[in-house]
Amino acid sequence: MADTTSLQRHWWQDALIYQVYVRSFADSTGNGVGDLNGIRSRLDHLASLGIDALWLNPCYPSPQRDHGYDVADYFGIHDEYGTLDDFDALLAEAEQHDIKVLMDLVPSHCSNEHEWFQAALTAAPGSTERARFYFRDGKGDGSEPPNNWRAGFGGSAWTRVNDRADDGQWYLGTFTPHQPDFDHTHPDVKQHFVDIFEFWFDRGVAGFRVDAVAPTGKHPDLPDQPPVGDDIGVLDITWVNPYTVFRPEGHDVWRDFRSTVEKYQHQHPGRDLVMVAEAYAVRRPELIKEFTQPDQFHQMFSFDLMLSPWEKGSIEVALRDPFEILHTTHVAPAWTLNNHDIQRIVTRLGKADAHLPESWTNNNLVLSNAAIDLELGARRARAMTALIFALPGSLYLYQGEELGLPEVLDIPSHRREDPIFHLTEGAELGRDGCRVPLPWNTDESTSFGFSKPAADASVADPWLPQPDGWGAYALTTAEDDETSMVELYRSVSDARAQFAVTQPLQAEILDLGDELVGVRRGDLIVVVNATTQPVAVDLEHPELAIAQPVFSSEPGEMHTPGVIPANATVWFSS
Ligand code: BGC
């Protein structure tokens, strides 16, 4: 095993990074939509969590068909969110708190309102304008799509351009018709992304979370997808298409991106830039290794733990691959338990049917209709949080998890905005439930402190409705309660700085018997009890013999030495 202790560490290798879903974080204008100045007004809260960086979900100009993942212009700020000056001010103020800023880069597709795509629509088949995207003739008389590919959010992946007699072409949109895919083999597209990197690095951005890397790059012939089995859900068909997902052609794009980043870094000594790849390579460590080769991404999200049920075997499986990758390639995992695409952890782990799934699709826990016990979910979430804060690697938090927010499941249909809900005609609820604007205080007249009233004192309804009782989760309520989730986050973040990041970037799974999960990272030993009963840990165990408990997800319950409370995580250090 290589000793990663002695290798030089980059800031991002064990950074604590907080994901801001700008639209739902804090609204500084009273219009019901979050914005950049809202983030500036809440930097103290972020600093209190001990974070190293923010990752902003896309805040470029966009028609918001997929809330920013449909970018109309990569060189600006969406007008509802502010201006480039506001962005610069946010960066400067964040820096005063020692907080860096990461952006979200969307290379796989843009918005159908992007000027290049608008030009492509009116240009002739075969033109340069069309060659930047995937325009193809339809099958037969042109009225059939060019192939059988399905879109990730429902329906065909192809949309017919128009009914002009001289133009029966269709274009490809892997997610929705409003998100046409770029063809990254075209030189204009390559240059476009070089310009984008340079533009934002020049403003001081520390790196990018790179969106949807799985479908970037296609088989050049765009062949029909082979038939899929009945066990593949309607929205998963896209993700098993061998001609558009995890293609070798994608790696050419990532090599270009990395060389742009390296070149910039070379010209600007002192900058330590990072690119983290987003793809659901769950239980596919070979893919993570491919994407994090030294000439591609610095890191790739490890989503296994986020998708894991609360169960020993499953948690161990989710840890094993990232640990192995870290040991063999020194690539630090990017852990996360929540994001803007997944049902919130308190709800997910509040489901009773915790078992190891046969296959790891995105949704196995989310789709479960088991009864939800939010108190149990919160307790398990605390324990899972205490686990990941101890692990080697960087940690991505999603706004609101520090408040213990549950998923909002009962948003009325007419207020739902996620294209997944609309394109599946309601068959899938989609992701609005984890994007509901944050409650900062208990004042209902300001949407629980989400909105600052406008100059005329008006406050518009928040863009997604907050449920009754949302104030119970407010920051001000939690700050008065030392057993609250936010206090857990603050204390586990302190404990991480003291006991975890001081350890090597390595970890291994310990055998602590049939019931407990054990992880050793240098002098730190973490024990997780995912069962419903307190479990005694053998304090004479060679790994634990000289260790003392230093942190618990349930501090009030550490009455008996060596007994790990049910649904809890305890750290030991020697
Ligand atoms: C993002 C989603 C988005 C999709 C299309 C995903 O990976 O996280 O929120 O809808 O890419 O851009």
Side-chain angles (χ1 to χ4, degrees):
M1 189 194 293
D3 176 13
T4 43
T5 342
S6 54
L7 300 177
Q8 187 213 344
R9 280 207 206 171
H10 297 278
W11 72 269
W12 41 265
Q13 281 180 305
D14 51 22
L16 190 56
I17 295 164
Y18 184 100
Q19 177 189 352
V20 176
Y21 196 76
V22 181
R23 210 171 176 76
S24 301
F25 186 73
D27 158 28
S28 71
T29 66
N31 70 351
V33 174
D35 50 49
L36 299 182
N37 288 337
I39 305 171
R40 288 168 66 192
S41 72
R42 295 291 181 183
L43 284 172
D44 284 346
H45 167 61
L46 300 180
S48 81
L49 298 170
I51 63 163
D52 300 295
L54 296 177
W55 145 34
L56 304 178
N57 278 104
C59 47
Y60 316 96
S62 160
Q64 303 290 321
R65 293 290 198 145
D66 188 20
H67 292 314
Y69 287 95
D70 48 329
V71 181
D73 170 9
Y74 288 80
F75 302 97
I77 294 293
H78 180 60
D79 56 3
E80 287 175 300
Y81 298 163
T83 62
L84 277 170
D85 286 344
D86 297 333
F87 181 84
D88 293 342
L90 169 61
L91 235 71
E93 283 171 29
E95 196 181 342
Q96 285 162 16
H97 287 85
D98 263 340
I99 295 174
K100 299 178 166 50
V101 175
L102 305 182
M103 297 281 278
D104 202 321
L105 187 64
V106 190
S108 127
H109 48 266
C110 58
S111 159
N112 61 331
E113 292 188 16
H114 191 285
E115 64 171 350
W116 282 8
F117 189 74
Q118 287 297 311
L121 285 179
T122 51
S127 59
T128 296
E129 286 82 352
R130 288 204 172 177
R132 298 167 177 154
F133 300 92
Y134 291 94
F135 280 84
R136 296 290 184 276
D137 293 335
K139 277 190 180 153
D141 65 358
S143 64
E144 296 288 319
N147 68 28
N148 65 355
W149 295 5
R150 308 295 299 167
F153 292 171
S156 169
W158 293 94
T159 303
R160 193 160 189 189
V161 177
N162 57 42
D163 294 328
R164 256 164 49 194
D166 62 337
D167 182 2
Q169 286 208 306
W170 300 63
Y171 68 87
L172 181 65
T174 294
F175 286 90
T176 71
H178 297 103
Q179 293 160 295
D181 286 25
F182 279 119
D183 183 342
H184 278 267
T185 62
H186 194 282
D188 290 355
V189 177
K190 288 179 196 278
Q191 187 57 44
H192 194 44
F193 280 90
V194 171
D195 296 344
I196 294 167
F197 275 113
E198 289 179 353
F199 180 84
W200 293 103
F201 286 154
D202 281 350
R203 301 200 99 83
V205 158
F208 288 92
R209 174 260 192 195
V210 182
D211 181 62
V213 303
T216 307
K218 324 276 177 213
H219 187 295
D221 303 334
L222 311 182
D224 269 342
Q225 175 174 9
V228 298
D230 297 341
D231 55 327
I232 303 292
V234 124
L235 295 190
D236 288 329
I237 296 176
T238 307
W239 310 119
V240 296
N241 182 347
Y243 302 128
T244 184
V245 171
F246 295 129
R247 294 289 311 163
E249 294 81 0
H251 294 282
D252 297 335
V253 180
W254 315 133
R255 279 187 206 98
D256 287 350
F257 280 18
R258 182 62 178 260
S259 74
T260 301
V261 171
E262 292 298 326
K263 194 166 147 209
Y264 192 92
Q265 212 157 244
H266 186 70
Q267 291 163 349
H268 299 82
R271 296 289 286 274
D272 187 3
L273 306 166
V274 64
M275 283 193 301
V276 56
E278 186 245 8
Y280 285 76
V282 175
R283 286 180 91 174
R284 299 192 60 189
E286 73 287 357
L287 281 177
I288 299 193
K289 285 182 180 169
E290 262 178 45
F291 277 85
T292 56
Q293 292 173 74
D295 61 351
Q296 299 184 41
F297 289 100
H298 302 84
Q299 290 183 288
M300 185 165 183
F301 281 111
S302 174
F303 286 137
D304 299 54
L305 212 46
M306 176 171 80
L307 300 178
S308 168
W310 183 239
E311 187 258 343
K312 171 181 157 79
S314 179
I315 293 171
E316 286 179 342
V317 167
L319 296 172
R320 193 165 293 135
D321 290 341
F323 287 177
E324 191 273 326
I325 294 170
L326 179 56
H327 292 175
T328 52
T329 69
H330 314 309
V331 170
W335 305 100
T336 187
L337 294 177
N338 290 283
N339 65 35
H340 64 291
D341 292 328
I342 291 287
Q343 193 170 78
R344 284 190 178 273
I345 188 169
V346 168
T347 302
R348 238 186 299 132
L349 295 188
K351 294 178 184 175
D353 58 351
H355 59 272
L356 187 63
E358 293 288 313
S359 71
W360 291 62
T361 60
N362 286 356
N363 290 330
N364 52 54
L365 281 175
V366 177
L367 292 181
S368 152
N369 284 325
I372 297 163
D373 175 343
L374 287 181
E375 214 171 297
L376 176 67
R379 193 177 164 110
R380 289 170 165 176
R382 293 171 67 94
M384 197 66 121
T385 301
L387 168 63
I388 60 165
F389 268 76
L391 300 177
S394 47
L395 193 48
Y396 282 75
L397 311 179
Y398 174 51
Q399 68 179 42
E401 68 176 69
E402 79 278 21
L403 302 177
L405 294 184
E407 185 84 359
V408 181
L409 295 167
D410 57 358
I411 299 173
S413 302
H414 71 278
R415 295 291 305 273
R416 287 194 177 269
E417 298 222 358
D418 187 351
I420 292 185
F421 178 79
H422 295 288
L423 291 169
T424 63
E425 295 175 353
E428 297 271 345
L429 282 185
R431 305 159 295 176
D432 292 319
C434 63
R435 300 173 177 180
V436 172
L438 295 191
W440 293 95
N441 61 40
T442 51
D443 177 7
E444 289 187 34
S445 72
T446 60
S447 307
F448 302 106
F450 169 67
S451 289
K452 184 167 166 245
D456 64 0
S458 64
V459 176
D461 279 350
W463 72 279
L464 279 175
Q466 298 163 309
D468 292 343
W470 206 224
Y473 296 100
L475 179 66
T476 50
T477 310
E479 280 180 327
D480 288 341
D481 172 4
E482 62 183 26
T483 67
S484 68
M485 196 65 100
V486 82
E487 293 307 333
L488 173 86
Y489 271 75
R490 287 174 180 164
S491 57
V492 78
S493 174
D494 286 348
R496 181 176 189 262
Q498 190 181 346
F499 298 106
V501 294
T502 49
Q503 301 298 325
L505 269 175
Q506 289 179 358
E508 61 184 315
I509 296 175
L510 296 177
D511 180 5
L512 296 181
D514 292 343
E515 291 166 305
L516 300 172
V517 178
V519 173
R520 188 168 73 81
R521 178 179 180 192
D523 296 334
L524 181 67
I525 292 168
V526 179
V527 183
V528 182
N529 177 3
T531 77
T532 54
Q533 300 297 325
V535 176
V537 63
D538 174 11
L539 289 175
E540 301 301 312
H541 189 287
E543 297 285 356
L544 280 165
I546 52 160
Q548 298 294 321
V550 292
F551 186 81
S552 168
S553 61
E554 298 296 337
E557 293 181 24
M558 292 293 294
H559 306 305
T560 318
V563 172
I564 312 294
N567 293 309
T569 295
V570 178
W571 295 13
F572 294 85
S573 180
S574 47

